[in-house]
Amino acid sequence: MRGGPGRLPGARARLRWLHQILGGALLMPYFLLASVGVGAAAGGANALSSLPLSLASYAAALPLAAATGVYGLVRPLSVTAVRAMCAVPGERLAEGPARTWAARGRASAWWTLHLGVGALVSGMTLAVPPMAVVLLVLPFVSGLREVRLGFGWFNTGVETYTAPLLGIGLLVALALCAAGAGELLARLAPLLLGPTAADRLAAAEERAADLAVRNRLARELHDAVGHALSAVTLQAAAARRMLERDPDFVRQALTAIEDTTRRTVGELDAALGLLRDGDPARPDGAYAPAPTLAADLEGLLARTRAAGAAITAHQDPGPVEDWHRLPEITSREAYRIVQEGLSNALRHGGGPVDLRILVRAGHGTEPRELEISMTNPPAGPPDGREPRTTGGRGLRGAAERAALLGGSVEAGPQEDRWRLRAVLPLTGGDR
């Protein structure tokens, strides 16, 4: 049957009833501890043998339960039970331990209510069914009529035959009480166990962190794999065209393809490492290092030239004197921005690329910002359509990279050329 056993009539009510019995069981340690104190206060009497003292023990057990309910892990335990047994939507309940005293107070109120109501329903569940059975069979078992059950009207004759009705009424009353208590607890659960403002803020921060990781992974995959595919495609196409005429060129193109794919596999491994948790890609647990402007720019230019692009590169480290003295994060993000610009030139460019990378000085000799400028003529439209004038995912990714450092990226047509300009602020000298 579709939906499983949880869809059967009464299944939800039965689970809620079981949830209340669980609460009664959880109250028992508090009740026994309170009964010792109440018995001692009553002159050493046995609190369990007296109904008034038992009720007093029950009342004293509730504050004890409330005091332990402020413990942070009480809320996730309660939420788990409510989700499983009370049919309350999970999104209406908080995740994780209570972080603030207000949340702990609400969790304590729920804990006390659950245990208190559960104890009453559990007591009724234990007492009412046996009593109802006796009442149901009373007219048919003559021996029970002579037993003193505490109700003199059992032995009065005609009234004896009304006992089954009373037994049925007790069972119905028990079911109604359990159903009503279950509905009450289900309605109060979101109020007392629902997320607070601090919980919502923590959840939003967690989602933002997760989104940041996803965006970073998407940028790494796009930049590493996208550039490699563009370069390899052009290199393979050039090698095919020159296969018969220039074997040396073909050999160089194949070497460039091999180098490009090998490096890309390493970068892909590093990007996928963001998704792994405690699953190192290598025996030493190290991933391939991310490429940087200092260590990998010349190789990037060489591979791009091997794909057929003419590149003129002007580099001026200025105050930092050497690209290796750039902050590592700046060098890494700058490399990716240059890589994206060259990828665009390979896919959409129609002429030589002019690349300029320089560090501008601020006051004195302190470096102020790293500027990357790249221009190239756009390719003519092969089918009569207008050439592309806006960037895609790669340029958005480059802008995001720059924004992480407090910089900016501008890209678009300028006169008869396509121009990309990135400015990355620098925070200091040698690092």
Side-chain angles (χ1 to χ4, degrees):
M1 181 173 57
R2 185 178 181 181
R7 306 283 295 198
L8 294 175
R12 182 172 64 179
R14 290 196 298 272
L15 282 176
R16 288 179 176 179
W17 198 337
L18 184 60
H19 180 253
Q20 295 163 61
I21 293 175
L22 174 63
L26 291 173
L27 187 70
M28 283 303 298
Y30 304 101
F31 176 77
L32 294 176
L33 179 62
S35 66
V36 173
V38 170
N46 184 0
L48 300 180
S49 62
S50 169
L51 179 60
L53 293 181
S54 295
L55 293 176
S57 299
Y58 168 79
L62 296 180
L64 295 178
T68 59
V70 298
Y71 184 57
L73 291 179
V74 166
R75 188 175 73 173
L77 293 175
S78 300
V79 166
T80 300
V82 168
R83 281 177 174 166
M85 308 175 78
C86 293
V88 176
E91 64 272 11
R92 301 183 62 189
L93 302 173
E95 296 284 351
R99 296 178 175 84
T100 64
W101 282 109
R104 294 188 178 195
R106 292 166 57 189
S108 175
W110 166 264
W111 182 253
T112 306
L113 179 65
H114 176 209
L115 271 59
V117 172
L120 295 177
V121 174
S122 297
M124 294 172 60
T125 302
L126 290 174
V128 169
M131 184 184 300
V133 170
V134 171
L135 293 174
L136 287 171
V137 303
L138 184 62
F140 312 103
V141 182
S142 58
L144 290 177
R145 302 175 191 176
E146 306 300 328
V147 178
R148 290 184 172 273
L149 300 175
F151 300 95
W153 56 270
F154 279 174
N155 303 320
T156 60
V158 176
E159 290 82 356
T160 301
Y161 294 96
T162 64
L165 297 178
L166 179 59
I168 295 173
L170 288 176
L171 292 176
V172 171
L174 173 61
L176 291 177
C177 288
E183 184 65 25
L184 173 66
L185 291 176
R187 289 181 179 273
L188 291 178
L191 297 177
L192 299 178
L193 298 177
T196 62
D199 295 322
R200 293 189 179 93
L201 179 60
E205 292 175 348
E206 184 177 351
R207 287 193 298 271
D210 180 68
L211 182 60
V213 171
R214 290 174 179 270
N215 286 340
R216 178 184 172 190
L217 177 61
R219 288 195 301 268
E220 295 294 331
L221 290 176
H222 177 277
D223 292 348
V225 179
H227 173 80
L229 290 177
S230 297
V232 166
T233 299
L234 291 175
Q235 289 163 349
R240 178 179 55 81
R241 289 193 300 268
M242 304 297 293
L243 183 59
E244 301 294 340
R245 291 179 291 174
D246 193 345
D248 289 337
F249 177 84
V250 174
R251 190 177 298 109
Q252 294 174 3
L254 292 177
T255 301
I257 290 174
E258 180 183 3
D259 181 58
T260 300
T261 54
R262 182 183 296 111
R263 292 184 57 85
T264 303
V265 168
E267 293 179 31
L268 179 62
D269 182 65
L272 294 179
L274 295 173
L275 294 178
R276 300 187 181 103
D277 184 12
D279 181 22
R282 301 180 180 178
D284 59 0
Y287 294 106
T292 62
L293 194 69
D296 302 281
L297 176 61
E298 294 302 325
L300 174 64
L301 294 177
R303 292 190 300 274
T304 307
R305 289 185 178 114
I311 304 174
T312 303
H314 306 273
Q315 303 180 47
D316 182 8
V320 300
E321 300 177 357
D322 184 358
W323 295 130
H324 287 87
R325 301 180 65 184
L326 283 175
E328 182 178 355
I329 186 173
T330 304
S331 184
R332 184 173 64 245
E333 302 303 331
Y335 174 90
R336 291 301 193 192
I337 292 173
V338 172
Q339 184 182 53
E340 173 57 28
L342 294 178
S343 295
N344 279 339
L346 286 176
R347 289 193 296 263
H348 310 292
V353 179
D354 180 49
L355 171 65
R356 298 177 183 272
I357 307 175
L358 59 93
V359 174
R360 297 186 182 278
H363 298 291
T365 59
E366 285 296 315
R368 180 168 63 93
E369 60 187 21
L370 173 70
E371 180 178 338
I372 300 170
S373 177
M374 191 180 308
T375 61
N376 64 280
D383 52 4
R385 293 177 297 177
E386 290 296 323
R388 193 183 72 162
T389 58
T390 59
R393 292 187 181 90
L395 292 179
R396 288 199 298 270
E400 292 172 358
R401 291 180 183 278
L404 289 175
L405 302 178
S408 61
V409 170
E410 301 173 355
Q414 187 179 64
E415 297 179 355
D416 60 343
R417 301 179 68 82
W418 175 273
R419 180 172 184 265
L420 181 147
R421 179 176 180 270
V423 177
L424 306 179
L426 302 174
T427 58
D430 303 347
R431 278 198 287 176

